[in-house]
Amino acid sequence: MKSEVSEMGSGVGGGGGGNKYGSLNLTDLPQDCIATVFSFTSPRDACRLSLVSTTFKSASESDAVWENFLPSDHQASIPSSLSFSSKKELYLSLCENHILIDGGRKSLQLERVSGKKVYMLSARDLFIVWGDTPTYWRWISLPESRFEEVAELINVCWLEIRGKIAISMLSPMTRYKACLVFKATAGAYGFDFQPAEVSVSIAGAEGCKRTVYLDAARGLRQRYQIVPRRIGLFSRSRFLGLQAPVPPAPAGGDDQYPKTRGDGWLEIELGEFFNDGSIDGELEMSVMEVDGGHWKGGLIVQGIEIRPCL
């Protein structure tokens, strides 16, 4: 393949010599025709083709190519205050930086390789049981959050967080995964023993449920069989100085424990969904821990991210 690209480059560069494709010389085609062909490839392919010749470079950087890589509804999402010199610059900017939409309640970004849409629903865009009761939750601002407010869990025995997004907003023919994005405070408690139940489904339908642990350190403790001291607010072992046994690890592996993201936050996968482009309605995601009756606190929820599976 590499030799074919090299030979094609010598043929289209106008440097003379033979052409293995006979009478075909791509440099004879109008640049807009070449650009139209490139627009049916991918962002990665367009960047690679730009290295073949100056003709290809000019065509691959045209707005006609990169307009096709952008979401069809991107003009409605881009704030009028933002301006870009080209569609390629806009595409690369959306890959590197999120933009806030829906009055700051959601963020939008593009996955660099495919151009598929990535959303995050802010904590304010989620349904959080008792979320407006200061005894249980409070709303604070953090400089490392992309949103104006995040939700800090003070103390609850019933944890229920739900989010919804219109399926029409997602890129078609794409498998998505949803993740809860959060942090744990230094005094977080109540998540080391009782698992949470998470799911992703079409709203109104029964989804596939599984259990996860929101305790970031639990995976490490399981691996090395470290037994922690229970420090829950109403934990009897806290007052008696006893050690709690580590419950058996759930089947399913490391995806049932939080992972650290590149931005410093934690995330736990809630599930996956394939958007074939033919389904209307809403995609619903949930995180629940309501069975154990254990009191828990110390989570800071930024939101739920819905991104293409790589």
Side-chain angles (χ1 to χ4, degrees):
M1 180 65 183
K2 183 176 181 180
S3 61
E4 290 182 6
V5 172
S6 299
E7 293 178 28
M8 182 184 294
S10 63
V12 300
N19 187 340
K20 71 172 287 185
Y21 299 99
S23 60
L24 175 63
N25 192 328
L26 295 183
T27 56
D28 293 337
L29 293 175
Q31 183 172 302
D32 58 344
C33 290
I34 299 175
T36 299
V37 174
F38 289 178
S39 70
F40 288 99
T41 61
S42 69
R44 174 179 288 178
D45 290 335
C47 291
R48 288 173 173 173
L49 288 166
S50 69
L51 303 176
V52 173
S53 70
T54 55
T55 302
F56 276 24
K57 178 176 175 61
S58 180
S60 67
E61 294 186 347
S62 70
D63 281 351
V65 172
W66 291 91
E67 175 76 26
N68 205 52
F69 297 152
L70 289 164
S72 59
D73 59 350
H74 71 274
Q75 293 183 342
S77 302
I78 306 301
S80 57
S81 58
L82 299 179
S83 61
F84 301 90
S85 61
S86 67
K87 297 296 184 180
K88 181 179 181 181
E89 183 186 8
L90 170 59
Y91 179 92
L92 295 177
S93 177
L94 289 176
C95 292
E96 294 292 337
N97 308 288
H98 64 268
I99 60 172
L100 297 181
I101 61 175
D102 193 19
R105 297 174 69 90
K106 297 181 179 70
S107 71
L108 169 65
Q109 202 165 358
L110 298 183
E111 196 279 314
R112 175 180 287 274
V113 175
S114 64
K116 305 291 188 179
K117 291 186 279 189
V118 180
Y119 290 99
M120 187 183 292
L121 313 182
S122 70
R124 278 294 187 190
D125 206 35
L126 305 177
F127 170 75
I128 302 177
V129 171
W130 294 335
D132 291 323
T133 305
T135 306
Y136 304 120
W137 292 83
R138 67 172 178 169
W139 295 89
I140 61 174
S141 297
L142 291 180
E144 61 267 33
S145 172
R146 66 183 62 182
F147 301 110
E148 184 176 347
E149 290 181 303
V150 295
E152 181 180 3
L153 173 60
I154 304 301
N155 186 39
V156 296
C157 63
W158 183 290
L159 177 67
E160 181 175 352
I161 302 172
R162 296 183 182 274
K164 291 183 180 181
I165 187 171
I167 296 175
S168 60
M169 295 177 65
L170 306 177
S171 297
M173 303 307 296
T174 304
R175 180 169 293 280
Y176 277 91
K177 70 166 57 175
C179 297
L180 178 72
V181 181
F182 67 100
K183 282 188 174 185
T185 66
Y189 61 90
F191 296 101
D192 54 340
F193 187 80
Q194 187 70 24
E197 184 179 80
V198 298
S199 69
V200 173
S201 65
I202 299 174
E206 187 71 20
C208 180
K209 299 178 180 179
R210 65 191 192 99
T211 58
V212 300
Y213 283 87
L214 300 179
D215 178 15
R218 189 177 190 278
L220 183 64
R221 292 199 300 271
Q222 281 288 348
R223 189 175 297 116
Y224 296 103
Q225 292 298 299
I226 301 171
V227 181
R229 289 183 181 273
R230 296 289 300 281
I231 59 172
L233 183 62
F234 295 98
S235 172
R236 181 177 176 83
S237 59
R238 179 190 182 204
F239 300 106
L240 299 181
L242 303 177
Q243 290 182 324
V246 178
D254 288 343
D255 64 341
Q256 292 186 298
Y257 302 109
K259 295 180 174 64
T260 302
R261 296 160 49 94
D263 57 10
W265 290 78
L266 297 173
E267 69 174 27
I268 187 73
E269 183 178 332
L270 308 182
E272 297 184 358
F273 169 77
F274 181 72
N275 179 27
D276 63 7
S278 65
I279 304 175
D280 295 324
E282 293 180 307
L283 186 68
E284 183 174 27
M285 301 134 288
S286 67
V287 180
M288 298 185 68
E289 199 286 275
V290 300
D291 296 328
H294 301 282
W295 289 85
K296 54 198 131 296
L299 285 191
I300 298 176
V301 177
Q302 181 174 202
I304 293 179
E305 184 173 76
I306 306 101
R307 66 173 184 264
C309 297
L310 299 180

